[in-house]
Every structure is written in C-alpha cells, then in structure tokens.
Amino acid sequence: MTLSRTLIVLHAVRTLAAWAVALLLFFPLGWMLLTAFKTELQAIAVPPVLLFPPTLENFHEIHVRSDYLLYARNSVITSVASTLLGLLIAAPAAYAMAFFRSRRTQDVLMWMLSTKMMPAVGALVPVYVLAQSSGLLDTRTGLVIVFTLSNLPIMVWMLYAGLREIPPEILEAARMDGATLWQEARRVLLPLSMGSLASTSLLCLVLSWNEAFWSLNLSSAHAGTLTTLIATYSSPEGLFWARLSAASLLAIAPIVVFGWFSQKQLVQGLTFGAVK
Amino acid sequence: MAYLQLKGIEKFFGGHRAIKGVDLTIERGEFVVFVGPSGCGKSTLLRLIAGLESTDGGSLVLDARDITQAPSSKRDLAMVFQSYALYPHMSVHQNMSFALQLAKEDPAIVRQKVERAASILNLGSYLERTPRALSGGQRQRVAIGRAIVRAPKVFLFDEPLSNLDAALRGQTRVEIAKLHRELGATTIYVTHDQVEAMTLADRIVVLRDGQIEQVGSPLELYDRPANQFVAQFIGSPQMNVVAADQWAAVWRPQAPAAARDGAMGLRPEAVSVVAPGLHPVEARIELVEALGAETLIYARTVDGAALVARQSARCAWHAGDAVSLSVDLAQAHWFDAAGRTVRTVH
Amino acid sequence: MAYLQLKGIEKFFGGHRAIKGVDLTIERGEFVVFVGPSGCGKSTLLRLIAGLESTDGGSLVLDARDITQAPSSKRDLAMVFQSYALYPHMSVHQNMSFALQLAKEDPAIVRQKVERAASILNLGSYLERTPRALSGGQRQRVAIGRAIVRAPKVFLFDEPLSNLDAALRGQTRVEIAKLHRELGATTIYVTHDQVEAMTLADRIVVLRDGQIEQVGSPLELYDRPANQFVAQFIGSPQMNVVAADQWAAVWRPQAPAAARDGAMGLRPEAVSVVAPGLHPVEARIELVEALGAETLIYARTVDGAALVARQSARCAWHAGDAVSLSVDLAQAHWFDAAGRTVRTVH
Amino acid sequence: ATEIVIATVNNRQMIEMQKLTPVFEKANPEIKVKWVTLEETVLRQRLTTDIATQGGQFDIMTIGMYETPLWAKRGWLKPFQPDAAYDIDDLLPGIRGGMSHEGKLYSAPFYGESSFTMYRSDLAKAAGITLPEQPTYQDIAHFAAKVHDPAKGLYGICLRGKPSWGENMAFLTTLVNVHGGQWFDMGWKPQVDSKPWHDAIGFYVDLMKKYGPPGASANGFNENLTLMSAGKCGMWIDATSAAGSLSDPKFSKVADTIAFVRAPIAVTHKGAGFSWSWGLAIPSSTKKEAAAQKFINWATSKDYVKLVAETDGWIVVPTGNRKSTYAYPEFQKVSKFGAMELKAIEAVDVRDATLPKSPYQGVQFAAIPEFQAIGTEVGQQISAALAGKTRVADALKAGQRLAEREMKKAGYTR
Amino acid sequence: MTRLLPRALMAPAVVTLFLWMIVPLCMTLYFSVIQFNLLQPDQRAFVGLENFLYFATDPSFTTAVLNTLLLLGSVIGITVVGGTAIALLTHEPFAGRGIVRVLLISPFFVMPTVNALLWKNMMMNPIYGVLAQVWQAFGAAPVDWLTDHPLASVVVMVSWQWLPFATLILMTALQSLDREQMEAARMDGARWLQQQRHLVLPHLARPITVVVMIEMIFLLSVFAEIHTTTGGGPGDASTNVAYLIFKQALLKFDAGVASAGALFAVVLANIAAVFLIRMAGNSLER
Ligand SMILES: Nc1ncnc2c1ncn2[C@@H]1O[C@H](COP(=O)(O)OP(=O)(O)OP(=O)(O)O)[C@@H](O)[C@H]1O
Ligand SMILES: Nc1ncnc2c1ncn2[C@@H]1O[C@H](COP(=O)(O)OP(=O)(O)OP(=O)(O)O)[C@@H](O)[C@H]1O
Ligand SMILES: [Mg+2]
Ligand SMILES: [Mg+2]
C-alpha cells in the first residue's frame, strides 16, 4: 500500500500548489477589494492594515460625484448590443465558412484577423472624423458599431471553429426532413451551437466591456462607459487609492461576477470554440 | 414504369470524376443495395439522389417527376445516415416528429404516426429520452424511425449499421428486412457488408470507381458474376481465384479456351479437403479455422495456389498436414485475361 | 507452472462491484480471448492486468513475480487499445520506437527491432508517415507493431479490430493469428466478435457481470457450454433455445428429467427444413436469408417456438410456406430451470 | 431645455463645481448641465482631438494657460462675454493676461495657481532651521539634508520626476529659469544643452538622489501630494493648489504642521514660480453659446466663491483668479497659505520669466504648439537621468537633439 | 444557388470588415504622406515619405521596436509556460477546483487601466506597495519596480492579465487529451515527466498556437498599461511602438507621423504574423 500513500501525498501537494497559485494570482484583485472599503489614510498606511472597520464612504463619494448607473448602463448596453450585433453578422459568415468550405476559407479567416493588427491609436483621427461626420460621436450607437467591428474577426473565428464541430449530416438530415434554410438554422443549428455562441458572446462581452481606447475617445457626456469612469478617477487630486479602488471595483464588478457565473460555459465553449 | 430513374448521372469533385454516367432504374417497392469498395462512389450516388449534392450531368426522375434540380426538402425522400445524424437536442419523439411538424401535419396524426413507428421499432419506452441517453442500437432505430414516420417515396440508407457491434448488427438487419416487408417502401441501401447485401436486397448494384459493374439479384451475382471483380466482391470468405499459371494439371483441360490465360474462380464450398493421394491435386494445410458450425481450411497447392475450403463438418486436419483437394469444377468460374467471365454451358 | 495468475481479483467502482473475485491461470504462449456482453468487465479486467486500474482485492502473479502493486510501466506488458491510441504527432517509426527509447535502448538495436516488426506487419514503406496519413488497417498494424517491438511478457488487446470495416477485419484477424504463431507470445484478447473468438483463441473466457462463466477451448464452449448463457453467447446465428412450454410433443420424451421445466437448445445446423408432413413438427416459414454459400431459414412451429435452420444448400422455400422441421435431438442441449446445462450421455 | 456639455479636469475645485451645478440649474431652469470629468492628460487629448476636428462634442472646455492663447489664435475659441454683474477687473492681472489673446479674454479663469515651497514646520523646528520667506535652492538643499531620515520612512524632499511637460518639466522649467536658463533663444534655438540647464538639472538630480524618495522618477503632482500628506516628505516645491488638500485634516496627516514660503530662487528670481490657471472656454464649434456664456459667468463669478464658502467652507473656495477672494477676512482666517499664494501669483509675469530674453510666453512652459512634445521628450530624458539610467550630461544632450529635431520639423529653424 | 448562399451569408461580415479596414487605411495612407498636425490644420502640404522618415529616425525608434518584440516575446512566453503549468496543475480534480478556477481566471476580466493602476499603486509602489512591504518583511530593500525594471514591470502586468486567458484555453484543451494515449505511454514505460513532454505538450501545440495568435494581436497594441504606469520611461526604457505612435498622435497631435507609424506597425505585425499565421493555419486545419 506504499504506492497509494505516495499518491495521496502527491495529490495533497498538488492541491496545495494549485490553491497557492490561484490565491497568488487573485491577490492583487483581493487587495483592491479590501482597499475599497478602507479610508484613504488606511489605504496608504505602512505597514498595511488588514483588520479595519469597513467603510462605504468611498462608494458614497463615487455615487455623489458621478452617475455610476449611467456609466454602468452604457457599459451594459454597448457591450451587450455590440455582442448581439456581432453575433448577427458573424454567425452567418461563420456558418458559411464552416459548412460551405472552399479553398479560400482559411485565407478569409486570416485576413479578418489581420484587420485587427492596425494599432487603434493610428486610426483615431480617421475614425473620429468619420464618426463626427456621421453624427455618431458620443452615441451608444457609435460605440456599438466600433466595438462590433473590432470584435468581429475574433467572433467569426471562434464561431467558425465551434460550428465545424457540428457534423454536417445533422443539417443534411434536417434538409431531408423538409426544413427550409431558416428552419434548419433556427431549429437545428441554433440549439446545437448554443455552447460556442455562449462562449463567443462572453469573450466579446468581456472585450467590449474592457475596451478603453474607443470608448474614451468617442464618447463624452452621454455614451461614456465604465472605462471612462475609471479615467475620471485614475489620477484624482492626490492619489486617493481607496476611492480609486472603489471605482475600479464598481467598474469591473459586473463583468467579473458575470464571468464567474458563466465560467463553466466559457470552459466548455472554448473547448470546441478555439481549440478543437 | 420505373419509379426512380437515374439517367447518365455525372458528378465531378473539382477535376475528379466521381460518378461516371450512371444509369439505373428502380421499381416501386424494390429494395436495392449498393455495394462496392471504399471510395467507389456509393455515398456520392446516394447523396445525389437525395439532393445533398448537385448533379453535373444526367437527370433524375422520381414517380414521373423530374427532380434533378429540386432541393432535398422537396424531393420527399428520407435518408438514414451512417452516423445517424440524430438531433442531439431533441427527444426521440421530437426527432421522429420533426419532419411532420415542418410539414404542418395535424398534431394528433403526428402523435399517432410516431407511436406507430415507435411500436414497430420497439422504441415505445424511450420516446422522452435524448439520443445521448440511448445505446447504439437504439439510436440506430431512432434514425430509422425518423425516416419511416414520414412514409416517403424512397428510403435511402447509407451504411446504417456500420457503427454497430456484430450482435446488434444482426438484430437490426433482421428488423430492417421485416420493416421493408411490412411497409413495402422503395429502398436504396448502401453497405459494405456481405451478409446485409445478400439478405436484404432484391437487387444488388455493384459499383466500382464511379461506374456500375453489375446489377442483379443476390444469388444471380453470387452464381453468375459478370466478372472477376464482382465474383470476388460477393461472398465471404471471398472466392478463390487461381491464375492460369498456378492451375493444377487436371484443371487445365477443363478450362474454356478464352480462360486459358485468365483465371479460375472457386467458391470455398466448391473445394473440399481429403486425405492425400485421393485426388490428384496435392496441397498442404496452412491454417484451420473452426467456427463451430463450419470450418475454414486454408491450403496451398503444390503449384502455389492458395485456396480456402469451407466445410460444415468438423475436421481433423491441422496446419502443416499434407492433403489433397477435391474441386468441383462444375462450379468453377472462368475469367479471361481482362477479368470478364467466360460463360460455359452446364 | 502458470505464467500469469489472477487470484481472487476484485474491483469496485464506487459502490459498484465490477469484478467479482476472478481466478484465472494463463500458460506461457497461450492465446486467451475474453468475451462477454457489453459492460461485463472485459476491459476492466484487462486494465487491471495492465495496471491501469488499481485492484481492490486479490493478487496478480506474472512469471513468478507478484505484480499486484507494480506500476504499469514496470509490468512489462504491452497493450493494444481499441482506439489504437497512437501518438498522433509521431511518425510510425517514432511510435514504434517510443517505448524502447524510454528504456534507453541502443539506437542501432532500436532501428533493427522496429524494422523487423515493420517487415512482419508489412509497414516498411510507411515508417515515416504520421498516423493521420494511414488507413484504419495500417493504423491497427502500427498499434500492434508498437506492442511487438517491445517483446513484452504478455500482449493485451482490447477489442482491437472493432473500428475496422468487415473486410479489413477479416484480413487483420488472419494477420494476428499468424503473428501469434510466429512470435508465440502470451496474449490476452478482448473481443465481442464470434469469429475472432473462435478462430484466434486457444482458450475462451466467457465473462458475465464481473464473473467467469466458463473457460475452455472454442469448440469445447461451442459443443459443451456450461449453461444457457454460454450456449447462446457462442455461435452465430445464436443457438435456438426453446422453452419447455413450446416443445413439440415428440421432443418431450427425449428430454432429461432435469430439463423438463427448463429449455432445449438447438444449433441452427441441427435443424433442417423439409416438406410438410415428413416430420411431426409442423412449422411455417417466416423469413429465408440466402447468403450464397448457405441459407438461413427462420420458422415458427405450431407450438410457437421460433427456430432458425441453417443449411448449406440453396432452398426453394419462401416466407409463408408450411413445412415440417427435422431436428437432430442427439445434438440438442438441455438446460434446467436455472439455465444450467443438463448433461446427457451420448 | 438646452443641454450643455462641460469637459473638465478631475481636480478638487472642478469636482466641487460639478457638485454645485444644481444651484445653477435651479437658477436657470432652461439649462441642463452634463459633465465629462477626465484626468488631465486624457482631457487634453480629448479636447484637442475634438477641437481640431471641429467635433463639437463639448460646449465648455476646461483649458489652461497653455492652450488658451494657442487655440484662440487659431480661432477655435469664442471670446468670453462677461455680463453686467461680472467684475472683470477683479481678476488677477497676471492670470487674466495669460488667458487672453490680443487683449480679449478667451478663457475665464476658474482658479489660478503659482508654486511655492511647502515644508513641515515640526521637522524644521526639530532640526533648528528657519526658512526665510524667500529661500534659495541652497537653503532647500540644506533643509533636505537635515531632515532626511529614510529609516523612519521620511525623505528630505519630494519633487516631481514623472516625465511630461506638465509634470517634471513644469517644475524643472522654473528651476532652469532661476538658474538663468530658457527653452529657446530669440532665434528659436533650443537651449537645453546650455550651462544653466546643466547647473539646474545637475543640482536636481543630485538633490533627489541624496534626499528624495525611492521611485521619484515616477512621481508627479498627485503622487507627491500623497507622499506629503502621508508625512513621508520633509518638503515639497509645487503648485499652490496643493495647499488646500494638505491643510485638510481629513486627507492629510500633516495638516497642523504644514508651512509655506515662496518658491526658491538661485541666480535670479525671474520665473521662480508657476503661473497657471484653469479656465472655462467656449469652443467655436458649439451651438449653445448663450447657455455656455451664462454658465461661465456663474462659475467664475464672485458669487460663486461665496456659494462655495457657504456650502463647504472657505477652505475649499477656488483661489488664484480673483483678488477679492483673498480679501475676505473669513478666508484669511482659515487659509494659512492665502497670502503667500497671492504674493506668488502676483510676482509672476508670463511675458518676462527668463533672465535672457525669450521669444515665447509662459513661465513653466513655452506657449507654442510644439512644446508639449518637446517638453515631454526632454522630460523623459531627465527622468531617465533621475532614475540613474543615463548621466545628466547625456540626457541633456539627447534632449537638445530631440528639441532641435522638433523645431526643425515644425519649421522654426532650418 | 449553393455558390450564392455562402457568399450572401459572408457578405455582411466581409463587407463591414473590409470597410472598417479600408477606409481608415486609406485615410491613414493619405495622412501619412501629408504634413498634418492637428494643432495646425491649415498646413497640409504633401511631404512624401518625410513622415515615415521622421518616425523611423526617432531616437526611441529602435528601442521601441525591440521593446515591442521583447514585450511580445516575454508575455507570450510567460503566459504559455505559466498557463500550461497551471492547466496541468488543475487538470485532475481536487478539493475546491471550481473555486480555484474562478480565482485563476478573474484577472482576465479586469480592464487594462484598472490593472495598471492596481499594480502601479498598490503592488509596485516602492513605499506603500505590497511588494515593498513583503521585501521589507524579509529585510530586503524594496525594489523600485517601475524605475529600475520598467519593461519587466509592464510585462508582469500584462502577463497577469493574459495568463488566465492562456490557462483557460489550455485547461479546456487538456480535457480533450485522449486518455488511452496517456495509458499507452504508461504501458510503454513513460514516467510522469516523459508523459508530459512526449504527449501532453505536443497535444497542446494547437491550442498554444491559438493563444499565441490572439495574444499577439492584443499585445502588439499594448499602450494603456505603459501610459498609466511608466509613461514609456524612464527615458524610453519601456516605450513600445504602440506607445510611440500614441505619443505622436495624442501628445504631439501629429496625425501625419502617427499615420506613418501606424502603417509601420501594420507592417511589423504582419512580419511577426506571417510565419505565425502559417503555423497556426496549418495546425488549425489538421
Ligand atoms: N466533397 C468531396 N470533395 C471531393 N471529393 C469527394 C467528396 N466526396 C467524395 N469525394 C470523392 O469521391 C469519391 C467517391 O466517394 P464516396 O464517398 O461516394 O465513396 P463511398 O463509395 O461512399 O466510399 P465508402 O465506402 O468509403 O463510404 C472518392 O474518391 C472521394 O474521395
Ligand atoms: N471508470 C469507471 N467508473 C465507474 N464505472 C466503471 C468504470 N469503468 C467501467 N465501469 C463499469 O464497470 C463495468 C464493466 O465495464 P467494462 O468497461 O469493463 O465493460 P466491458 O466488458 O469492457 O464492456 P464493453 O464490451 O462495452 O467494452 C460496467 O458496468 C461499467 O459501467
Ligand atoms: Mg460512403
Ligand atoms: Mg470494453
């Protein structure tokens, strides 16, 4: 039974190591979480305070100073809308590539990815001018369009990989059963691609939510998202770390929590999304 | 009048001519089996009939209607795929009723049809499960059930049993045969399994390299193959074919003139193994396979010809034994140098 | 002395007792086949021997060494997996030499061994390909080759042919048999295929529900099954078993007393179909399957018993014909109510 | 209702203004005010992109003394139109001048600032030092050396080190000024490699290496404010606007002991302290000028100062724009720094801030469009020197080259 | 019909992406050959390749290119190696694996700006930062990360963000590893490390390509982290190409030079991508 004893020890070591790594990687976030509930003086205390009566003062201050709900709403609306719009455009393309493959499919995919290679800042002036002349500056619509376009290649790519996992015979079976293209898509394809749709959406949601450059530069009073809220606090009059932490926490909390809950989906979807 | 008619069907994949002008007529209610080596175009032909591939030439007529250009969904055919292609997100019931729902059939009738099919296929107690929760054989039956609820003009089966294990395979084969008798539906069936082809078919179509080699009833093909290819393709263990230079001296005079530089074919049951000296063809046993009910004996003649004999009695021979072979030359098939059967009168 | 010895092997999966105290001795050079219905524990037993699962009881002795606790890598066994489990990124050569390389074998010897294995398996010209570029049969041979280069103490095969199509299967089976004859290696082989079991095995082990039902040579099991389960499991088409209440009147007197409330078993070749009236057992034909060399006739007696008859001649019967059945009761097997064989002396 | 969008920097005074907006909206029910509050550098990027492309996203922009004359010259701004109640002559003349172009006020100063020396009087007392009202940099070095005690987490002096024209170069330009240096000579030739620069930067790097906090090269105004308020620094020379926060016990550990003297001098007193003001300006792309003018009139008025005082107390009122603010006795009572700040601001002349004559205006910057780039590039070099990555001489040589490159590209020099 | 349909379905994506690429690209091309400073919009003379020349002769140019590649290389290296290690560590079930996974992937959801602020202020600050406290607790002098190791600090931040991404993908990829292959290797006598080296790593080749490709796209344009923390300094020690362009565009407001820089970045990205994409393309297709 010596064999299984070493196995148990090994297992324990592995468990500990995994937890250690996880806690280490999570530590900065956890620290921020703590700081958000400190007072400013506690936040910069040396050595750091670990036990303290939590205060909600920072959150209150943020609430008074800026319309958190407006920013949050903009973030939700723009990221959700751009994800949906992206799906609407990307899904048919991915479908076509996955089920009507041709020699050029691979090239088109690669070309799509390559459109993401121009640094955003290099295109700022052209895009700004375009947005301004089409009246899309500081509108959620404008942001949605830009987010959608910049996420589109990745969406097509992930969906394509996901759809390729679906055996074409199932679609053919539906066709033999008398399904029209639309029925085939809605009643067979859609339910089958739920997993990859979900993971693709989640990834794009995260990317849109965290998009800082365009949201900062193309919005002002009405369409600003939570990333612009951060720009309000990122270097206030003196480094108000506690307040900064609180603001950051508010900015990332929705997406982190959402990410936690959909973690399983992400793991599953990605399996056949990006990899297989 | 022919029910389903293929006229000069052609199919190219890029530059590759996969189907080379196939003509075939199938009667209403007939059970036709396509056989042929891997890559010969069986599936492609089936998919052309189903409308899953577009034809590059020729025409298809079904029940006096030209369907060459009709989309699959309008052809009124049902297909059972090799991989079943069940809808994984639907229950068995939904899988089977999907086509009827699309056709906007009255729900009461749908229920009735599905239940009838389920009872034929013994699926009654699985109707609410999803395919994931079914065994291979059950999935297979669902796939068939999905086809039969529709009462289509023609059933298309593409190697439907190849994913099953031997036992289940035999069982399902019998079920398909029974079903065909009961429903009397026109059926086209692709398989590479001997037993399936022999037992199910009214007529077998032997394909090779995108062309039809021979069409006929199973025993017709077994007994009167048009050429060596068909002869060797039908029957298991396959027909012994002995090239002219390995013939025993006693066979040579019997050979028709046209076969002199060809080959002789002998079904394993036309060969029997007897004690040495009893017959002029001396041989040595290489392997004996006792299957219980029958025994396969692999022997090699002094002329170098490898022959398999099949006998239904047990035998006492062992590998290495010297024996002589008794061959029923009346049952021999003769092939000319090009492999075509040389007809003899007997 | 036994080469490989299993003593009271037990295996639990959670609460489920998958292997229930299996005892088995295997001689050096023997070819042992495990058969049994799906889920009976064939793979598990093999994996226990391989050390891929840990035993929960009992011990394993190989070549006089207790290997119950030894890790797989130290047992000196080679396993051929159902899915081949080839290393997809390695060439055929690398696949075959991997184990030797890990064992730090001299490269020259490695090359020599691999080449020898490749020539035995006819893989010589594929050595530089990756598994992706091989056909199913070739992959199968690589998997075998990977095992034989190591010259292990015991070969373990887990349904190695189940992924192949019928033709290739027959071919590979013959190759495995030849290989075993040439190498004389001790082999344990799991299969659910009748023909493989019958033709390959020195001894067959019939498993059921984690226990051994019977061990014996193929013909022993075919002719003298220990019980109804083994009787029906061995042989294809399977043995006809007629429960006592469906016996024809003429059979009843012949039955041993112990079988009176049991059943009678008849191999299909023990049944023949003759014109009505010739024999007292009246029946009606339900289905005739002509396989070319032989014919299977499915009939139902007036007492309701379904019987399959196998005959090597063609027949003129058709479904629906009234016939009578001639049964060779000397070949009948008798089972008591619990399914145990009732021995009769003949 | 008319909706106006105001872009502003996230400084304390602006946030106060944002909080008081409802008062304005109540008085002017036809106007709704929307705020975009951004960090200074981001704000500058946003505003420049918008105004240069005539984006028209903002109706009021918060801009400083640097942008105002440049943008006004381009015609990008509308002149400020004071209403009858607006006492325009109350504005501090130096500040007003800096926010004007061709005599017209284009950006109404919201608050103004200069720079001065902030130090811990308790440490000074303990070390037995008294700083004169007008210290020299030698006094500063002496003080820093005396109080420096890193073992206790106390550093002699904190100064800006973060590279940017608005960060380290703002302070360093005043340091160069008092050492008799300038950015460009009358022929627009960059002077970065000149002796006054070497003297000033050499002194600075030496001082900071000896008595500065670790990581000084990443410290800007905000970081230093945090350090100072946490009691980590003995002294700090920076904008007068920091004084308010440092005096507020809620944020500052050193509120009681903080003390102020003038910005230090060396070979000259010219250009020793900043002259800076944030003001509210109206881009010409706006369609809501009337409402915007109204808001600016309100936000930069005397009444606004009183409103802040009434709401939040005198300690937080915006200063540095109006003389009258300093005259309130209530203000004088609460602010220890008020008098010093007024002196500092009045002492500066943005048109005459360097010992040799300069072609540009501005104390801690040169009001030409290219300055942002040049200032930042040179700032990076000096920051590298401060971090010990290069030597001062090499940094200045490299800075000189970079400046020459920019000036050549812009067509000032051939 | 079967040829039209896929085209019709792909059209929206292809057309929008084409426009999204071509319009800014053309404008960028145009801007790159004229003199165009946002602050002096009236002077728009044609200058030919002067902008490119100006961008390429920037004293920081070489450093920036090197830093870009260094950043790209080290982050990809860290995330791939770290991700593989973590994925292997968490592959088999253990107590609390679900929570561990959640903790592990959390950093991926953090905005780049927040990430930078968090590390700069709360972790790496040499006086109050957690790292400084830890160093002091062990009696070592705190390291001034952003000054002394600016590029390494940026690498740490960016890696922290992307490590979860790599972990996630590799974790899921591991699940598709064929169990029988591993068992075959065990039977072949491979020990744990040998199994990882000969089987697991080759199996992960494809997901690793995916990780590398996606990361490359995002890493080439990292500048928020640099801007927020080191400002590209000290000197140009942490300036990368994206930041250099950023400086041209939003500090000097020189749209001409910025455009030239952007075009250069496209070229750089494509050079970096060409062999990568080939590799990825092949491994994706197999
Ligand atoms: N979509 C396709 N593109 C290109 N070639 C194809 C395609 N489908 C089939 N082929 C080729 O056409 C020929 C016939 O293929 P088909 O699938 O009909 O063979 P099959 O008879 O069904 O073989 P199997 O018994 O292996 O299923 C083969 O050579 C095959 O490679
Ligand atoms: N890892 C496992 N965990 C739980 N139960 C298992 C596991 N492996 C096998 N079993 C169970 O143990 C029993 C024996 O399984 P085993 O795989 O040995 O069957 P088998 O005889 O190989 O069947 P088949 O012919 O279908 O391969 C089955 O009931 C199976 O469900
Ligand atoms: Mg096929
Ligand atoms: Mg098994």
Side-chain angles (χ1 to χ4, degrees), chain C residues 39 42-44 82 158-159 190:
Chain C
K42 304 181 293 293
S43 299
T44 306
Q82 176 169 357
D158 192 358
E159 309 196 9
V190 171

Side-chain angles (χ1 to χ4, degrees), chain E:
Chain E
M1 148 77 193
T2 45
R3 286 184 188 98
L4 267 182
L5 180 69
R7 288 192 190 167
L9 290 174
M10 280 170 66
V14 171
V15 169
T16 47
L17 272 180
F18 187 72
L19 290 177
W20 173 241
M21 182 191 80
I22 205 70
V23 173
L25 190 68
C26 286
M27 290 175 80
T28 306
L29 263 173
Y30 168 64
F31 289 162
S32 72
V33 293
I34 60 167
Q35 179 181 2
F36 180 23
N37 191 309
L38 280 185
L39 296 172
Q40 288 155 329
D42 37 342
Q43 308 171 2
R44 287 208 187 185
F46 176 81
V47 294
L49 294 180
E50 195 178 291
N51 286 326
F52 290 92
L53 200 69
Y54 184 76
F55 184 78
T57 54
D58 191 305
S60 307
F61 178 78
T62 327
T63 321
V65 173
L66 283 180
N67 282 345
T68 305
L69 297 179
L70 217 60
L71 181 76
L72 192 69
S74 32
V75 173
I76 287 181
I78 290 174
T79 52
V80 166
V81 172
T84 311
I86 296 177
L88 285 177
L89 199 60
T90 56
H91 180 47
E92 273 155 52
F94 58 87
R97 179 163 71 148
I99 301 172
V100 163
R101 273 192 188 169
V102 162
L103 295 182
L104 280 175
I105 62 171
S106 295
F108 185 57
F109 301 119
V110 176
M111 301 169 182
T113 329
V114 173
N115 169 0
L117 289 168
L118 179 57
W119 279 93
K120 176 191 172 193
N121 295 327
M122 280 168 246
M123 297 293 126
M124 290 177 167
N125 184 300
I127 297 171
Y128 323 99
V130 173
L131 291 179
Q133 311 294 327
V134 172
W135 255 245
Q136 258 163 359
F138 286 102
V143 180
D144 184 2
W145 295 98
L146 293 173
T147 307
D148 296 337
H149 312 285
L151 192 62
S153 306
V154 174
V155 166
V156 167
M157 290 171 215
V158 179
S159 302
W160 182 66
Q161 173 121 42
W162 286 97
L163 184 60
F165 175 76
T167 307
L168 194 62
I169 293 210
L170 296 177
M171 205 148 66
T172 56
L174 271 187
Q175 286 170 356
S176 65
L177 179 62
D178 184 23
R179 201 178 64 139
E180 291 198 334
Q181 263 175 42
M182 294 294 280
E183 291 178 341
R186 264 164 72 193
M187 302 281 309
D188 272 348
R191 268 163 300 132
W192 190 83
L193 256 179
Q194 291 170 318
Q195 286 171 33
Q196 309 306 317
R197 197 178 108 38
H198 293 289
L199 286 184
V200 177
L201 281 186
H203 173 76
L204 291 181
R206 191 144 55 129
I208 285 176
T209 336
V210 170
V211 169
V212 170
M213 269 197 24
I214 292 196
E215 286 193 358
M216 192 192 80
I217 285 173
F218 284 92
L219 292 181
L220 277 174
S221 49
V222 162
F223 84 91
E225 285 87 344
I226 294 175
H227 178 56
T228 315
T229 56
T230 63
D236 51 16
S238 58
T239 299
N240 67 352
V241 172
Y243 188 72
L244 207 59
I245 300 170
F246 165 81
K247 278 205 304 197
Q248 295 293 343
L250 289 180
L251 207 69
K252 304 183 184 174
F253 298 103
D254 193 331
V257 178
S259 301
L263 290 176
F264 172 78
V266 172
V267 173
L268 183 72
N270 275 295
I271 291 174
V274 152
F275 84 104
L276 246 179
I277 277 180
R278 285 290 150 231
M279 199 168 94
N282 291 343
S283 79
L284 282 177
E285 270 315 285
R286 16 176 240 244

Side-chain angles (χ1 to χ4, degrees), chain D residues 30-88:
Chain D
E30 78 284 0
I31 301 177
K32 292 261 324 143
V33 180
K34 283 269 186 184
W35 290 92
V36 176
T37 315
L38 294 168
E39 186 218 332
E40 184 175 334
T41 49
V42 180
L43 178 80
R44 197 165 275 126
Q45 292 156 16
R46 285 291 287 115
L47 294 186
T48 312
T49 324
D50 190 68
I51 203 153
T53 58
Q54 298 295 301
Q57 283 208 63
F58 306 104
D59 302 300
I60 296 177
M61 292 178 166
T62 303
I63 55 177
M65 207 177 260
Y66 171 69
E67 292 89 356
T68 306
L70 293 177
W71 292 7
K73 191 169 146 204
R74 293 246 155 263
W76 287 346
L77 300 178
K78 299 205 162 162
F80 170 60
Q81 275 147 18
D83 58 20
Y86 196 90
D87 184 359
I88 194 159

Side-chain angles (χ1 to χ4, degrees), chain D residues 3 15 24 59 73 86 93 148 157 218 237 281 285 322 329 342 350 360 366:
Chain D
E3 185 187 279
I15 285 157
F24 172 76
D59 302 300
K73 191 169 146 204
Y86 196 90
H148 187 60
I157 186 164
I237 303 160
S285 54
R322 289 180 171 275
L342 183 62
V350 293
Y360 56 88

Side-chain angles (χ1 to χ4, degrees), chain D residues 86-388:
Chain D
Y86 196 90
D87 184 359
I88 194 159
D89 295 323
D90 183 37
L91 297 177
L92 288 162
I95 299 291
R96 183 178 167 182
M99 304 293 258
S100 300
H101 174 66
E102 291 174 351
K104 262 191 266 175
L105 184 63
Y106 276 89
S107 176
F110 179 69
Y111 78 81
E113 63 188 12
S114 180
S115 61
F116 57 14
T117 308
M118 296 162 268
Y119 69 99
R120 298 262 301 275
S121 58
D122 55 335
L123 298 176
K125 204 170 284 160
I129 302 177
T130 39
L131 279 176
E133 193 199 305
Q134 175 66 77
T136 66
Y137 274 101
Q138 288 319 310
D139 298 332
I140 300 297
H142 179 62
F143 179 94
K146 270 278 161 82
V147 304
H148 187 60
D149 189 358
K152 283 205 199 121
L154 179 69
Y155 306 96
I157 186 164
C158 294
L159 291 172
R160 296 184 183 189
K162 188 181 187 175
S164 168
W165 70 276
E167 291 280 13
N168 63 345
M169 289 324 288
F171 166 75
L172 289 175
T173 302
T174 62
L175 185 66
V176 168
N177 287 343
V178 297
H179 281 83
Q182 62 184 157
W183 273 102
F184 308 105
D185 67 9
M186 288 308 283
W188 287 108
K189 184 170 166 31
Q191 299 297 308
V192 177
D193 206 12
S194 60
K195 179 167 185 302
W197 277 80
H198 281 273
D199 292 348
I201 306 304
F203 170 78
Y204 160 78
V205 169
D206 186 49
L207 182 70
M208 290 304 284
K209 274 191 178 156
K210 279 192 193 140
Y211 313 121
S217 68
N219 290 349
F221 173 79
N222 295 316
E223 287 81 357
N224 282 326
L225 177 54
T226 307
L227 284 168
M228 193 73 195
S229 63
K232 299 272 171 199
C233 303
M235 70 170 17
W236 178 29
I237 303 160
D238 215 312
T240 52
S241 59
S245 294
L246 286 180
S247 309
D248 185 342
K250 235 170 83 191
F251 295 104
S252 169
K253 270 189 179 169
V254 296
D256 299 335
T257 57
I258 193 86
F260 311 93
V261 290
R262 301 275 299 270
I265 56 171
V267 301
T268 172
H269 63 85
K270 270 189 170 181
F274 302 175
S275 176
W276 184 255
S277 169
W278 282 109
L280 301 176
I282 303 170
S284 48
S285 54
T286 182
K287 298 190 183 67
K288 296 157 187 166
E289 189 190 343
Q293 294 281 8
K294 207 172 238 171
F295 182 85
I296 297 178
N297 267 299
W298 173 77
T300 57
S301 65
K302 277 186 192 165
D303 288 348
Y304 177 79
V305 175
K306 264 189 250 161
L307 176 67
V308 176
E310 280 157 22
T311 332
D312 290 293
W314 280 97
I315 185 86
V316 293
V317 298
T319 57
N321 58 342
R322 289 180 171 275
K323 277 177 260 177
S324 57
T325 310
Y326 296 95
Y328 291 111
E330 300 94 321
F331 177 74
Q332 287 171 352
K333 206 154 75 206
V334 298
S335 84
K336 290 189 283 182
F337 56 87
M340 199 59 71
E341 181 180 87
L342 183 62
K343 262 190 206 159
I345 292 175
E346 282 180 328
V348 198
D349 182 353
V350 293
R351 276 164 241 274
D352 181 24
T354 52
L355 194 58
K357 237 173 121 44
S358 296
Y360 56 88
Q361 86 177 42
V363 179
Q364 75 280 23
F365 58 85
I368 56 171
E370 293 72 21
F371 180 71
Q372 282 195 56
I374 295 174
T376 301
E377 303 265 32
V378 174
Q380 283 201 338
Q381 294 303 324
I382 295 177
S383 156
L386 177 58

